């Protein structure tokens, strides 16, 4: 009797397991959310606010499908009237044919609004029954103190806009810089961004640095892209602030526009959300209330650099 009872119990457990495993888990109902990305530049207009929607995790991402082309996008300086943005028209070739039709990028006509330092701007986006909002406060103008070919303030010779450097392959972030940039700290800014933007980003103009370090830090030749930039966190021990311009910034020969951006706290928080302790990626900390993305602002200073080829450029 005991043996038979055991068999009945065992059969019942097996049956329960089979039934349980045969039931497919059901995914929660997917509801798209708005994704808004936009940056305001001090002294400029509102030239591009991109609006997209989230897609199901099992669906291939396609910008032509995810972009939202019927959104109501508005912006205002706090305390002033709202202004509605227009959507950029399709890009057409010389023959008048549509060559690019992704859509979902909104702007204000030139001279409608000039972004002012210290001002706070509100953004409102509505589409397919969703409504999101965001705010950004524009940093004060970032100003250079000095550029030189050493690593400390006061080193000589000086480096000026329009000067030339000779690209030399390196091994790490600790390599000797081509030159160093010094600037005054901007109040309420905790992160700066340095970008090297080449005039000629054609593959034929690529610096063919194929050392192991270059392939690790810059990826394979076919995958290298411009512009390249670094985030530089504010350091109270570095006054003025300092940026060492090393080999990792440059992917191409010829003229570059170097851009130093002082970015607002919304961008800094968004970047901090990319990684937690242990370098585990998490959801970015968005300032888009009710959606995803980032609405941020920055001030900028720029200068020109010419990159020439030398004996250590392509070892």
């Amino acid at each position: 009797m005991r043996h038979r009872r055991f068999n009945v119990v065992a059969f019942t457990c097996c049956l329960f397991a089979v039934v349980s495993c045969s039931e497919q888990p059901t995914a929660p109902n997917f509801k798209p959310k708005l994704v808004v990305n936009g940056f305001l530049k001090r002294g400029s207009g509102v030239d591009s606010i991109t609006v997209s929607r989230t897609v199901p995790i099992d669906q291939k991402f396609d910008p032509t499908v995810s972009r939202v082309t019927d959104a109501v996008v508005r912006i205002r300086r706090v305390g002033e009237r709202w202004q509605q943005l227009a959507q950029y028209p399709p890009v057409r070739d010389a023959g008048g044919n549509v060559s690019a039709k992704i859509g979902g990028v909104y702007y204000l006509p030139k001279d409608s609004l000039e972004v002012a330092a210290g001002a706070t701007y509100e953004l409102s986006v509505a589409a397919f029954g969703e409504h999101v909002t965001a705010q950004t406060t524009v940093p004060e103008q970032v100003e250079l103190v000095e550029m030189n070919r050493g690593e400390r303030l006061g080193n000589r010779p000086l480096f000026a806009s329009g000067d030339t450097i000779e690209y030399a392959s390196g091994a790490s972030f600790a390599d000797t810089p081509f030159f160093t940039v010094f600037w005054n700290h901007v109040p309420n800014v905790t992160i700066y961004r340095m970008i090297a933007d080449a005039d000629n980003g054609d593959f034929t103009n690529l610096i063919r640095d194929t050392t192991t370090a270059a392939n690790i830090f810059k990826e394979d030749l076919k995958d290298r892209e411009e512009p390249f930039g670094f985030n530089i966190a504010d350091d109270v021990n570095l006054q003025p602030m300092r940026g060492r311009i090393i080999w990792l910034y440059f992917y191409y020969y010829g003229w570059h526009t170097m851009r130093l951006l002082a970015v607002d706290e919304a961008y800094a928080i968004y970047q901090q959300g990319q990684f937690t302790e242990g370098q585990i990626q998490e959801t970015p900390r968005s300032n888009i209330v009710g959606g995803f993305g980032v609405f941020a602002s920055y001030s900028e200073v720029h200068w020109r650099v010419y990159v020439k080829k030398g004996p250590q450029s392509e070892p």
Side-chain angles (χ1 to χ4, degrees):
M1 177 67 71
R2 181 180 299 174
H3 179 71
R4 182 181 178 186
R5 183 178 299 167
F6 174 81
N7 287 340
V8 171
V9 173
F11 174 77
T12 303
C13 291
C14 289
L15 181 63
F16 177 77
V18 170
V19 172
S20 299
C21 292
S22 64
E23 294 180 358
Q24 296 297 322
T26 57
N29 293 329
F30 172 75
K31 184 180 180 182
K33 292 287 187 179
L34 284 168
V35 181
V36 179
N37 289 291
F39 287 84
L40 303 182
K41 178 183 176 182
R42 175 205 167 275
S44 297
V46 182
D47 63 358
S48 57
I49 302 294
T50 303
V51 182
S52 305
R53 59 166 57 85
T54 56
V55 297
I57 194 169
D58 58 351
Q59 180 179 320
K60 182 179 180 181
F61 178 77
D62 183 348
T64 61
V65 175
S66 66
R67 290 288 177 85
V68 178
T69 58
D70 58 353
V72 176
V73 183
R74 300 186 302 157
I75 193 171
R76 71 173 179 178
R77 183 171 177 171
V78 170
E80 299 183 358
R81 68 178 182 85
W82 288 99
Q83 297 188 58
Q84 185 165 333
L85 281 66
Q87 185 177 192
Y88 278 109
V91 177
R92 299 181 182 275
D93 59 23
N97 301 310
V98 175
S99 58
K101 191 179 179 181
I102 295 180
V105 182
Y106 299 80
Y107 73 102
L108 278 180
K110 191 175 181 180
D111 301 327
S112 295
L113 182 151
E114 182 175 309
V115 178
T120 299
Y121 293 87
E122 295 178 304
L123 183 70
S124 168
V125 180
F128 57 83
E130 293 288 307
H131 179 228
V132 301
T133 59
Q135 281 193 353
T136 179
T137 299
V138 185
E140 298 293 335
Q141 178 59 38
V142 58
E143 296 181 349
L144 296 183
V145 174
E146 179 180 291
M147 295 189 292
N148 66 52
R149 293 185 183 266
E151 296 193 50
R152 297 182 179 278
L153 184 66
N155 285 167
R156 295 296 182 266
L158 292 172
F159 189 90
S161 180
D163 280 358
T164 297
I165 63 171
E166 183 178 287
Y167 180 86
S169 179
S172 72
F173 290 90
D175 288 316
T176 301
F178 299 127
F179 62 96
T180 302
V181 183
F182 301 88
W183 66 92
N184 288 322
H185 172 64
V186 178
N188 303 316
V189 169
T190 60
I191 194 168
Y192 300 86
R193 187 161 177 79
M194 190 84 75
I195 299 172
D197 193 358
D199 285 10
N200 181 3
D202 190 82
F203 186 78
T204 59
N205 190 45
L206 190 70
I207 298 173
R208 282 166 167 71
D209 183 354
T210 57
T211 59
T212 300
N215 289 336
I216 291 174
F217 288 112
K218 295 184 175 183
E219 299 188 285
D220 294 336
L221 287 178
K222 61 182 178 61
D223 298 322
R224 296 181 187 177
E225 298 178 352
E226 278 274 338
F228 187 77
F230 285 109
N231 291 328
I232 303 172
D234 179 41
D235 186 345
V236 295
N237 296 315
L238 290 177
Q239 299 299 340
M241 291 293 299
R242 181 183 70 173
R244 302 168 66 256
I245 309 303
I246 58 176
W247 64 285
L248 288 170
Y249 278 99
F250 302 105
Y251 287 27
Y252 297 93
Y253 294 115
W255 284 108
H256 288 67
T257 297
M258 297 293 301
R259 303 170 59 205
L260 171 63
L261 281 57
V263 196
D264 79 325
E265 194 64 13
Y267 176 80
I269 293 173
Y270 184 83
Q271 285 292 310
Q272 291 167 7
Q274 297 290 326
F275 298 95
T276 58
E277 292 183 7
Q279 299 297 299
I280 300 174
Q281 193 166 6
E282 62 174 19
T283 303
R285 299 169 187 169
S286 173
N287 69 328
I288 306 297
V289 179
F292 301 99
V294 63
F295 177 56
S297 56
Y298 64 95
S299 65
E300 174 184 335
V301 62
H302 59 268
W303 62 96
R304 300 283 281 169
V305 174
Y306 188 84
V307 180
K308 72 176 184 179
K309 186 176 182 179
Q312 299 300 317
S313 297
E314 301 176 2

